[in-house]
């Protein structure tokens, strides 16, 4: 297996070459394709890690069910725009089962829910956005402020915006020829309320349900010895 | 054995979608894109008489209208000014760009609708199980759990309704709280069941050897033939596109829409690539009749 540094160097070179060639040969027209390659390069290590890691059947099934719950929970909330517990489920998974599991559940939940809500070019962006949300929750779970309720609340609120901005970036990249600052600003201004709703619903769910969900998941983790090492 | 395009090897079909997706985002000429859209719609009709596409009709129309109308009013780049709207210039270039973007986006989504029909379940798993076996497995498990969780959730909802916990009445806060409470019930129930699923998987030998596919797909002569054809045509398209054919200059001033000889060659190549499922289906239907 290639080590992390080699991978980083190789993928940076690939991205750099692609960016340069997109300017030289494609007259700035291929940014959307290049952005897909960049996203793929950043996500490959996580999937590769999941493939080579020692993991039992039980753990795979638990991750699958968490991803399915995250995806399904969009359905009963379909009536409220931007209010969905998917982010909450992903954050809690990251907090309990660690960064790698958080990423996998986030990324898989994005694909699965899009099988029902419509697959499209935005799927990789959602995978990445939700995957990073779960990963960050897992990475920060041992910091002192993440153990406090207010730390989690701030985390959830900020990620409501980060996720929204990330999805805006997709619109900008797919419209790169159109790029003017007005266009850029109008997209980000247009999404403020949706992101606010997302952030606030995260805060709401974390405030009321995070304690009991973390307790339930921790109990399972301890009872069956799941994903303890990560 | 399935007929028509469904009988082809998943790799070939997957490569077809890669080519299609790439080309639709690659070419910018309205004629190219409009043809691509029409062909892709025909491909969808050839799958299931357009049944699954019909569900997408309204969102697609709204989205394309949104792009076509919003773009000229939002972006004022360009040289040829059509008219002024509230002191902002509405340009021919921005209008054109909106149309091109809208067609490209709609084509990509129509392509994904067809993708979901052709490469579902087993085939999807087959393609990724060679590269990312465990991730593909995790994905398939999660997809399978969704209908299961839905039916469980309906059960929970029915029980909770008797207790007076519903999502239909009350303030937004209350409804969200009740909804989440039911999902929590679902979580506890499903985690417990998941352990049983895993144990029964283990009892049947999960993780002992390499995973095999339920249906053994084999690359036949016709699969190799089409793969090679698609590859050659695709390379021609990429090469032509790099020289600037099949595209138009939009900003800062709209270039000519005139098609040169090379444009037509690229156009034919692209049409053949996109029409691959139609050609296969059509030939099979002809053979059946005569």
């Amino acid at each position: 297996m290639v080590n992390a540094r080699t991978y980083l160097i190789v993928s940076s070179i690939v991205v750099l070459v692609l960016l340069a060639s997109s300017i030289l040969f494609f007259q700035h027209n291929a940014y959307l394709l290049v952005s897909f390659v960049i996203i793929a390069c950043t996500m490959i290590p996580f999937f590769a890690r999941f493939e080579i890691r020692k993991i039992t059947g039980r753990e795979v099934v638990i991750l699958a069910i968490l991803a399915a719950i995250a995806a399904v929970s969009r359905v009963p909330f379909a009536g409220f725009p931007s209010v969905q517990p998917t982010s909450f489920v992903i954050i809690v998974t990251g907090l309990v089962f660690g960064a790698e599991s958080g990423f996998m559940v986030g990324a898989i939940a994005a694909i699965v829910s899009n099988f029902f809500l419509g697959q499209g070019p935005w799927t990789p962006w959602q995978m990445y956005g939700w995957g990073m949300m779960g990963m960050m929750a897992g990475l920060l779970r041992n910091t002192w402020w993440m153990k406090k309720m207010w730390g989690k609340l701030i985390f959830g609120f900020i990620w409501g915006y980060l996720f929204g901005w990330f999805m805006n970036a997709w619109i900008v990249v797919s419209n790169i020829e159109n790029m003017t600052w007005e266009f850029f600003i109008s997209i980000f201004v247009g999404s403020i309320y949706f992101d606010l709703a997302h952030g606030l619903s995260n805060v709401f769910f974390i405030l009321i349900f995070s304690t009991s969900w973390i307790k339930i998941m921790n109990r399972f983790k301890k009872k069956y010895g799941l994903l303890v090492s990560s | 054995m399935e007929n028509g395009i469904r009988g082809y090897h998943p790799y070939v079909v997957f490569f077809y979608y890669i080519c299609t997706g790439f080309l639709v985002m690659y070419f910018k000429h309205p004629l190219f894109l409009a043809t691509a859209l029409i062909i892709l719609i025909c491909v969808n009709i050839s799958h299931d008489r357009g049944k699954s596409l019909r569900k997408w009709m309204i969102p697609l129309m709204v989205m394309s209208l949104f792009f076509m109308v919003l773009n000229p009013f939002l972006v004022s780049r360009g040289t040829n000014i059509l008219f002024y709207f509230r002191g902002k210039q509405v340009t021919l270039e921005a209008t054109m760009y909106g149309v091109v973007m809208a067609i490209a986006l709609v084509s990509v989504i129509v392509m994904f609708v067809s993708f979901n029909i052709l490469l579902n379940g087993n085939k999807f798993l087959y393609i990724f199980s060679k590269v990312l076996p465990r991730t593909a497995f995790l994905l398939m498990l999660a997809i399978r759990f969704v209908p299961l969780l839905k039916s469980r959730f309906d059960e929970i909802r029915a029980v909770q309704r008797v207790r007076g916990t519903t999502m239909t009445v009350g303030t937004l806060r209350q409804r969200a709280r009740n909804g989440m409470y039911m999902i929590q019930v679902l979580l506890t129930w499903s985690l417990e069941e998941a352990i049983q699923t895993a144990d029964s998987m283990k009892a049947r030998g999960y993780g002992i050897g390499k995973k095999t596919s339920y249906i053994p797909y084999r690359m036949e002569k016709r699969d190799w033939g089409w793969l090679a054809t698609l590859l050659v045509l695709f390379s021609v398209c990429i090469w032509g596109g790099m020289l600037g054919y099949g595209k138009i200059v939009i900003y800062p001033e709209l270039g000519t829409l005139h098609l040169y000889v090379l444009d037509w060659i690229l156009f034919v190549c692209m049409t053949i690539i996109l029409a691959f499922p139609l050609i296969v289906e059509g030939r099979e239907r002809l053979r059946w009749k005569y």
Side-chain angles (χ1 to χ4, degrees):
Chain A
M1 205 58 207
V2 283
N3 64 29
R5 183 170 296 178
T6 329
Y7 182 82
L8 200 62
I9 292 170
V10 169
S11 57
S12 338
I13 291 173
V14 167
V15 168
L16 199 68
V17 168
L18 276 171
L19 277 175
S21 65
S22 82
I23 293 167
L24 287 177
F25 299 116
F26 298 97
Q27 285 90 37
H28 298 273
N29 276 336
Y31 282 125
L32 188 57
L33 293 165
V34 173
S35 66
F36 280 128
V37 177
I38 294 174
I39 283 207
C41 282
T42 22
M43 285 200 293
I44 284 171
F46 292 102
F47 289 115
R49 173 91 182 111
F50 181 69
E51 294 292 335
I52 56 174
R53 180 177 159 196
K54 247 185 141 71
I55 191 167
T56 64
R58 274 182 174 180
E59 288 155 349
V60 175
V61 179
I62 287 290
L63 288 182
I65 210 120
L66 286 171
I69 286 178
V72 160
S73 61
R74 275 173 95 172
V75 176
F77 288 87
F80 318 101
S82 288
V83 178
Q84 30 84 4
T86 309
S87 306
F88 165 75
V89 176
I90 292 164
I91 291 173
V92 171
T93 307
L95 286 176
V96 176
F97 291 116
E100 289 168 15
S101 312
F103 177 85
M104 284 313 288
V105 168
I108 296 290
I111 306 182
V112 172
S113 64
N114 281 349
F115 264 107
F116 304 94
L117 299 169
Q119 212 70 261
W122 50 81
T123 307
W125 263 266
Q126 280 184 343
M127 282 170 72
Y128 190 76
W130 268 326
M132 285 297 135
M133 192 188 286
M135 191 200 75
M136 255 181 86
L139 285 180
L140 298 175
R141 66 178 166 158
N142 288 328
T143 54
W144 61 271
W145 50 273
M146 205 55 174
K147 286 183 179 149
K148 302 260 192 301
M149 180 55 92
W150 58 264
K152 287 179 206 139
L153 292 180
I154 292 172
F155 180 85
F157 187 74
I158 291 176
W159 260 101
Y161 272 95
L162 283 181
F163 186 79
W165 288 345
F166 206 75
M167 296 313 289
N168 290 346
W170 170 66
I171 301 175
V172 171
V173 170
S174 62
N175 275 297
I176 200 80
E177 260 181 85
N178 233 341
M179 216 355 237
T180 54
W181 285 111
E182 285 167 57
F183 178 74
F184 189 80
I185 291 166
S186 68
I187 282 182
F188 278 79
V189 168
S191 79
I192 282 183
Y193 287 107
F194 293 102
D195 298 339
L196 185 70
H198 187 186
L200 285 181
S201 69
N202 280 352
V203 167
F204 175 76
F205 289 132
I206 291 175
L207 185 66
I208 298 184
F209 287 101
S210 68
T211 318
S212 61
W213 277 61
I214 290 174
K215 206 172 141 197
I216 291 171
M217 286 192 196
N218 264 328
R219 194 186 105 79
F220 270 92
K221 188 176 158 185
K222 225 178 254 170
K223 182 175 173 189
Y224 296 106
L226 301 167
L227 298 159
V228 181
S229 56
S230 64
Chain B
M1 197 66 198
E2 289 170 303
N3 296 323
I5 184 75
R6 287 161 216 255
Y8 276 78
H9 196 277
Y11 284 167
V12 181
V13 182
F14 189 60
F15 187 65
Y16 162 74
Y17 285 112
I18 291 179
C19 295
T20 313
F22 193 94
L23 290 182
V24 168
M25 289 189 267
Y26 190 56
F27 289 131
K28 287 273 166 3
H29 197 287
L31 176 71
F32 279 65
L33 287 173
T35 317
L37 181 58
I38 292 168
I39 295 175
L40 285 171
I41 289 174
C42 291
V43 168
N44 257 300
I45 290 171
S46 80
H47 295 333
D48 59 351
R49 293 174 190 277
K51 222 188 273 167
S52 26
L53 190 62
R54 224 165 289 155
K55 285 182 221 154
W56 277 91
M57 282 292 251
I58 295 162
L60 280 182
M61 279 188 199
V62 171
M63 208 160 73
S64 48
L65 265 178
F66 183 75
F67 262 94
M68 283 189 212
V69 175
L70 210 67
N71 199 61
F73 288 106
L74 218 66
V75 180
S76 40
R77 275 178 77 184
T79 325
N80 295 315
I81 296 162
L82 293 178
F83 57 89
Y84 281 90
F85 178 77
R86 287 191 176 177
K88 268 183 83 176
Q89 47 185 4
V90 176
T91 63
L92 178 67
E93 282 77 14
T95 317
M96 195 69 194
Y97 189 79
V99 172
V100 167
M101 266 319 288
I103 304 179
L105 209 65
V106 170
S107 307
V108 170
I109 293 168
V110 172
M111 181 196 96
F112 269 106
V113 172
S114 147
F115 180 94
N116 282 348
I117 298 173
L118 278 195
L119 288 180
N120 52 2
N122 233 322
K123 290 182 185 168
F124 191 77
L125 181 61
Y126 178 82
I127 292 167
F128 288 100
S129 63
K130 289 281 149 58
V131 206
L132 297 167
R134 202 180 270 160
T135 313
F137 177 64
L138 175 63
L139 183 61
M140 289 317 288
L141 263 184
I143 290 170
R144 187 267 167 275
F145 281 142
V146 168
L148 182 74
L149 294 186
K150 262 188 192 157
S151 72
R152 273 182 198 163
F153 190 76
D154 286 339
E155 214 171 305
I156 293 168
R157 190 151 53 181
V159 172
Q160 295 295 330
R161 197 170 53 226
V162 178
R163 290 187 56 214
T165 312
T166 65
M167 276 189 79
T168 44
V169 286
T171 57
L172 181 70
R173 211 188 140 86
Q174 222 162 9
R175 280 187 292 172
R177 193 189 186 127
N178 287 344
M180 202 61 202
Y181 174 72
M182 289 192 265
I183 293 175
Q184 187 179 314
V185 176
L186 181 70
L187 172 80
T188 334
W189 183 2
S190 301
L191 285 179
E192 199 67 60
E193 291 280 318
I195 295 294
Q196 283 190 14
T197 311
D199 287 346
S200 84
M201 265 166 47
K202 198 178 175 191
R204 288 161 199 221
Y206 170 77
I208 290 176
K210 257 179 90 174
K211 268 182 76 64
T212 52
S213 177
Y214 178 61
I215 304 167
Y217 297 101
R218 229 172 303 136
M219 286 290 272
E220 285 167 28
K221 222 164 109 191
R222 54 172 200 174
D223 293 314
W224 286 113
W226 265 108
L227 197 64
T229 318
L230 286 177
L231 195 65
V232 169
L233 292 174
F234 187 58
S235 326
V236 171
C237 285
I238 297 295
W239 169 73
M242 268 156 79
L243 297 176
Y245 291 96
K247 297 178 173 183
I248 48 169
V249 181
I250 293 183
Y251 295 124
E253 189 175 1
L254 189 64
T256 170
L257 289 181
H258 180 76
L259 291 172
Y260 298 95
V261 182
L262 245 168
D263 282 313
W264 284 112
I265 296 175
L266 289 192
F267 183 73
V268 171
C269 289
M270 185 200 75
T271 314
I272 297 174
I273 295 180
L274 292 190
F276 160 54
L278 291 180
I279 296 171
V280 170
E281 295 279 350
R283 199 172 59 186
E284 221 151 272
R285 207 154 291 177
L286 278 181
R287 279 226 185 120
W288 180 252
K289 274 194 181 150
Y290 305 108

